[in-house]
Amino acid sequence: MRTEILECVKNEKIIAIVRGIQPEKCVSVAEALCKGGIHMMEITFDQSNPDALETTTASIASVIHKFGKDIRVGAGTVMTVEQVQMAAKAGAEYIISPNTKEPVIRETLRLGLVSMPGALTPTETAFAHECGADFVKIFPSGNLGPGYIKALKAPLKHIKFLGVGGITPENIPDYLNAGCTGFGIGGNLVSASWAEAGEYEKITEAARAFCRAVGR
């Protein structure tokens, strides 16, 4: 499984970030993404509402049940070992966090999942890699620009970067040239308002635009 996900990130390059969308709509969102050519989907935990953690795992399980390996599902905003375990039990294949936390990375790897912690500085990025991260999510990329990614990549060529935050079809080529392996895309691709209104065709069109931007 790990090898498949590593290859999927390398080839697909786009992970759709699903945040703030009701569980019953996640399957429809997944279908819209699939139609647009995107086959990786991160369903996030809402850390502000611990009571909602179970709904995230239910969403993960429902998408996997419906689509199998047509959509490779991961869990996002994972900040505790317990949440790693919850996500794994639901079937998530990769774990994404906004921060770098060694116990979270170690548990992810112990369970055979792919680790994608968030970092910003050279120290955080190198530490995440030392802990075993498969990819390091540079967040928020859009606030600092591709120039920052390029500067960070220069001494850290051995680390695979994911650009997350403020990524658009228009600026993706610059981030690819700066050294990003792939991207996590949230509101610019999976708008909660589109999902709420049932405007899934807009998600499909956005997915196609992002796929074109990465050369797919």
Side-chain angles (χ1 to χ4, degrees), residues 12 33 60-61 78-79 97 104 111 118 121 123 134 136 156 187-188 195 204:
E12 296 277 331
L33 289 168
I60 290 170
V78 179
M79 300 186 71
S97 304
V104 169
L111 293 173
T121 68
T123 299
D134 297 290
V136 179
L156 301 174
N188 289 331
T204 297

Side-chain angles (χ1 to χ4, degrees), residues 4-179:
E4 290 179 7
I5 296 301
L6 294 172
E7 283 299 307
C8 199
V9 175
K10 178 183 175 183
N11 296 329
E12 296 277 331
K13 296 193 182 337
I14 301 291
I15 301 172
I17 302 171
V18 176
R19 178 183 292 111
I21 293 175
Q22 297 301 314
E24 62 271 16
K25 294 182 180 293
C26 281
V27 168
S28 296
V29 168
E31 184 176 15
L33 289 168
C34 226
K35 285 180 181 177
I38 289 177
H39 303 97
M40 299 194 78
M41 180 176 176
E42 165 196 346
I43 301 177
T44 67
F45 283 108
D46 181 356
Q47 299 293 339
S48 68
N49 182 9
D51 293 336
L53 298 182
E54 294 291 344
T55 63
T56 296
T57 55
S59 296
I60 290 170
S62 64
V63 172
I64 292 170
H65 177 74
K66 174 72 174 179
F67 294 95
K69 290 191 175 183
D70 288 340
I71 292 272
R72 309 310 289 257
V73 184
T77 320
V78 179
M79 300 186 71
T80 68
V81 168
E82 179 188 10
Q83 288 163 13
V84 175
Q85 296 166 347
M86 290 173 65
K89 186 176 180 180
E93 296 183 288
Y94 50 97
I95 300 295
I96 304 180
S97 304
N99 61 332
T100 294
K101 192 171 182 179
E102 184 172 2
V104 169
I105 297 171
R106 299 293 187 196
E107 184 66 6
T108 299
L109 299 177
R110 187 186 74 79
L111 293 173
L113 309 181
V114 172
S115 173
M116 307 178 188
L120 185 62
T121 68
T123 299
E124 292 170 348
T125 303
F127 179 64
H129 179 74
E130 289 165 11
C131 290
D134 297 290
F135 301 90
V136 179
K137 161 182 150 179
I138 307 302
F139 174 78
S141 292
N143 295 72
L144 297 170
Y148 179 78
I149 301 291
K150 184 176 182 180
L152 195 64
K153 189 75 173 176
L156 301 174
K157 293 182 178 66
H158 58 297
I159 301 177
K160 296 181 180 68
F161 289 1
L162 300 178
V164 180
I167 305 298
T168 67
E170 292 73 25
N171 64 27
I172 271 184
D174 292 332
Y175 282 96
L176 284 171
N177 290 334

